[in-house]
C-alpha cells in the first residue's frame, strides 16, 4: 500500500486534478487531468453549478484514464482579493512556568490569539506564517528554536494571509456535491514556491512570480521562511484580450497568436516579418507584423511585472534577495521574458523548474507550467513541514505532529485529525495497469501531434492553393482589362476614320470631335 494524496486546483481557464504518491524513491505524480474551467473568475468560484460540472468532468476523466477514484483532496486557494498583513502576538507565562520549556501548545495559543484578532465577519485567515519569535532577551528565533527554551515572556511577528470566507464556503459546496471531502486549503503562492524553488533559493532569498490566466501570484521567501504573499488581479488572459482588441479578431485566434508568436520584447523582432489573418464573413485579410504583436504583449507583460515589483518592494526585502526572481506559470514560456523582467525589476531572473523535487520517472506531461501550482501543493503536503491551510473553528493550521507512521494527515476546517488516503490498491497490478495506461496515453499523444501536424500541412497547402487561385483571378482581370483597352482603341480608330471621311465629303472646317474646343 502506498501513501497517496490528491489536489484540486480550480483555475480560471482550466481545472486541474492531480494525484501524487510518496515511496522510497521520492514523490511521484502518478495521475493528472486538466479540463476547461467554468464558473471561476480571477481564481474565485462565482458559479457553483458550473464549477461542479468542471470538477465532475475531471473526476470522471481521472477514473476513465487512470482508474483512480478520488474521494478526498486538498484544494488550492488563490482569490484575487487575498491580502498579506503583518501582526504581532505575545504571551506572559505564569510564574510556575518560568523554568519550564516553551511548548508547542503555547506557540499555538499565540497564533490563535492573532487569528481571533484578525478574523472578520466576511473574511478569515487563510494562513498564518511565523516570521520570528522573541523569548525574554533572546531575539529573532525561528519556531523550532523557541520550543524547548525557558523564559517569562514570548512574543512573535507573523505574516497573516486573509481572504473571503465566501471562497471557502463555495469550495465546500462544490466538493461536497461532487462527493469529495476537503482535507485542507493551500494558498497558491506557497504551493507554487514548493514546486519551483530550491533549498538555496529559499535560503538566499527569492521572489516568485506565478503568472496565471486571470491572476498573478507573488511570494517572497527568505531564510526558508515565506515572508510575503500577494495576488495581482490580471494575467495571461489580459494579453489575449489586448490582442483581440488591437487585431480585431476572436478569442480563439487571439489565443493562438499569443501562444505561437509569444514574444515580449519588440526590439528582438525582425521588422519586415508578420502574419496574415484569414478573411471571414465578408472581411478582407489583414496583415500584422510580429513587431506589432510583440508590442501588444510587451505592454501588458510590463504592467504585470511592474505590479509584481510593487509587491516585492512592499515585502521590504527587494535588496536582500540573493537568488533574484523566478517566473512560473503558462506565460513563463514567453520569449525574452527574463530580459524584460531584468529591465523592469533590475533583478536577475530565471524560469521556474517544477521537476526538482519529484522523482525522475514522473511523466513530463505532469510538469507543464500550468500544473506547477498543483504539483507544488503535492510536494508541500508530503514535505512533513508545517503546512499552513485555511483556519477556522480553532484549527491552528499546523501539521508537524500529523506526519507519522508513513501516513499523511492534514488539518481540516472543523476536523484537525482527518487522514488523507485518497486511493489504495495492489502495487503490482497498479504499476502494470498504470504503465499500460501511460503507454496508451503516449501513443494517443503522438497520434494527436501527428494529426495536428498533418492538419497544419493541409491548411498550409489549402492556403497556397487559395493564393494561387487569387493570382489566377488577378491574371484573368488583367487580361479582361487589356481586352477592354484594345477594344476601346479600335473603336477610337474607327471613329477617327469615319470623321476623316465625313470631312473629305463636307469640308473639314465644319467638323470637330469631342476633344476639340468648340
Amino acid at each position: 500500500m502506498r501513501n497517496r494524496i490528491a489536489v484540486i486546483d480550480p483555475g480560471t481557464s482550466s481545472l486541474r486534478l492531480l494525484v501524487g504518491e510518496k515511496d522510497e524513491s521520492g514523490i511521484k505524480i502518478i495521475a493528472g487531468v486538466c479540463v476547461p474551467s467554468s464558473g471561476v473568475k480571477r481564481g474565485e468560484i462565482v458559479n457553483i453549478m458550473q464549477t461542479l460540472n468542471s470538477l465532475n468532468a475531471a473526476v470522471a476523466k481521472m477514473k476513465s484514464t487512470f482508474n483512480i477514484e478520488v474521494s478526498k483532496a486538498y484544494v488550492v486557494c488563490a482569490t484575487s482579493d487575498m491580502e498579506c498583513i503583518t501582526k504581532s502576538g505575545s504571551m506572559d507565562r505564569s510564574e510556575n512556568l518560568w523554568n519550564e520549556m516553551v511548548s508547542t501548545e503555547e506557540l499555538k495559543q499565540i497564533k490563535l490569539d492573532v487569528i481571533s484578532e484578525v478574523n472578520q465577519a466576511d473574511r478569515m485567515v487563510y494562513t498564518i506564517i511565523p516570521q520570528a519569535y522573541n523569548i525574554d532577551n533572546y531575539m529573532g528565533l525561528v519556531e523550532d528554536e523557541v520550543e524547548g527554551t525557558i523564559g517569562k515572556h514570548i512574543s512573535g511577528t507573523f505574516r497573516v494571509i486573509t481572504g473571503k470566507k465566501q471562497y471557502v464556503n463555495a469550495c465546500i459546496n462544490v466538493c461536497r456535491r461532487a462527493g469529495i471531502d476537503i482535507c485542507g486549503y493551500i494558498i497558491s503562492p506557497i504551493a507554487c514556491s514548493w514546486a519551483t524553488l530550491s533549498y538555496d533559493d529559499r535560503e538566499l532569498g527569492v521572489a516568485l512570480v506565478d503568472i496565471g490566466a486571470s491572476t498573478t501570484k507573488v511570494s517572497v521567501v527568505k531564510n526558508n521562511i515565506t515572508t510575503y504573499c500577494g495576488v495581482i488581479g490580471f494575467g495571461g488572459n489580459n494579453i489575449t484580450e489586448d490582442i483581440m482588441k488591437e487585431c480585431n479578431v476572436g478569442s480563439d485566434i487571439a489565443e493562438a497568436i499569443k501562444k505561437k508568436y509569444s514574444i515580449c520584447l519588440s526590439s528582438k523582432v525582425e521588422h519586415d516579418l508578420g502574419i496574415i489573418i484569414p478573411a471571414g464573413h465578408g472581411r478582407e485579410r489583414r496583415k500584422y507584423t510580429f513587431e506589432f504583436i510583440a508590442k501588444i504583449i510587451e505592454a501588458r507583460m510590463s504592467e504585470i511585472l511592474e505590479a509584481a515589483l510593487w509587491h516585492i518592494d512592499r515585502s521590504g526585502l527587494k535588496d536582500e534577495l540573493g537568488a533574484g526572481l523566478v517566473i512560473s506559470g503558462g506565460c513563463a514560456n514567453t520569449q525574452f521574458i527574463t530580459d524584460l523582467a531584468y529591465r523592469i525589476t533590475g533583478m536577475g531572473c530565471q524560469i521556474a523548474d517544477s521537476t526538482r523535487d519529484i522523482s525522475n520517472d514522473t511523466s513530463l506531461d505532469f510538469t507543464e507550467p500550468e500544473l506547477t501550482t498543483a504539483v507544488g501543493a503535492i510536494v508541500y503536503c508530503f514535505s512533513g513541514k508545517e503546512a499552513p491551510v485555511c483556519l477556522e473553528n480553532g484549527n491552528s493550521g499546523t501539521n508537524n505532529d500529523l506526519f507519522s507512521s508513513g501516513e499523511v494527515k492534514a488539518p481540516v476546517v472543523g476536523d484537525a485529525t482527518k487522514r488523507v488516503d485518497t486511493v489504495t490498491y495492489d502495487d503490482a497490478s497498479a504499476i502494470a495497469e498504470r504503465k499500460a495506461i501511460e503507454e496508451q496515453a503516449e501513443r494517443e499523444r503522438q497520434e494527436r501531434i501527428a494529426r495536428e501536424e498533418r492538419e497544419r500541412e493541409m491548411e498550409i497547402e489549402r492556403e497556397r492553393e487559395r493564393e494561387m487561385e487569387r493570382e489566377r483571378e488577378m491574371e484573368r482581370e488583367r487580361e479582361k482589362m487589356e481586352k477592354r483597352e484594345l477594344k476601346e482603341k479600335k473603336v477610337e480608330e474607327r471613329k477617327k476614320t469615319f470623321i476623316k471621311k465625313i470631312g473629305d465629303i463636307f469640308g473639314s472646317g465644319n467638323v470637330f470631335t469631342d476633344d476639340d474646343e468648340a
Side-chain angles (χ1 to χ4, degrees), residues 179-238:
I180 297 175
D181 292 333
I182 297 177
C183 302
Y185 303 84
I186 306 174
I187 65 171
S188 178
I190 291 181
C192 186
S193 70
W194 277 79
T196 58
L197 302 181
S198 67
Y199 179 86
D200 289 342
D201 290 337
R202 301 174 65 86
E203 186 176 32
L204 291 172
V206 63
L208 174 65
V209 179
D210 178 28
I211 307 175
S214 62
T215 59
T216 299
K217 283 75 70 176
V218 181
S219 57
V220 178
V221 183
K222 176 75 173 178
N223 296 326
N224 289 303
I225 298 173
T226 301
T227 63
Y228 183 86
C229 292
V231 178
I232 302 165
F234 45 89
N237 282 354
N238 297 90

Side-chain angles (χ1 to χ4, degrees), residues 9-16 37-38 40 43:
D9 182 11
T12 301
S13 61
S14 59
L15 185 147
R16 281 81 63 174
S37 180
S38 299
V40 181

Side-chain angles (χ1 to χ4, degrees), residues 96-107:
N96 63 314
L97 294 177
W98 286 358
N99 293 318
E100 297 291 333
M101 292 186 295
V102 174
S103 67
T104 302
E105 289 301 317
E106 289 176 296
L107 300 181

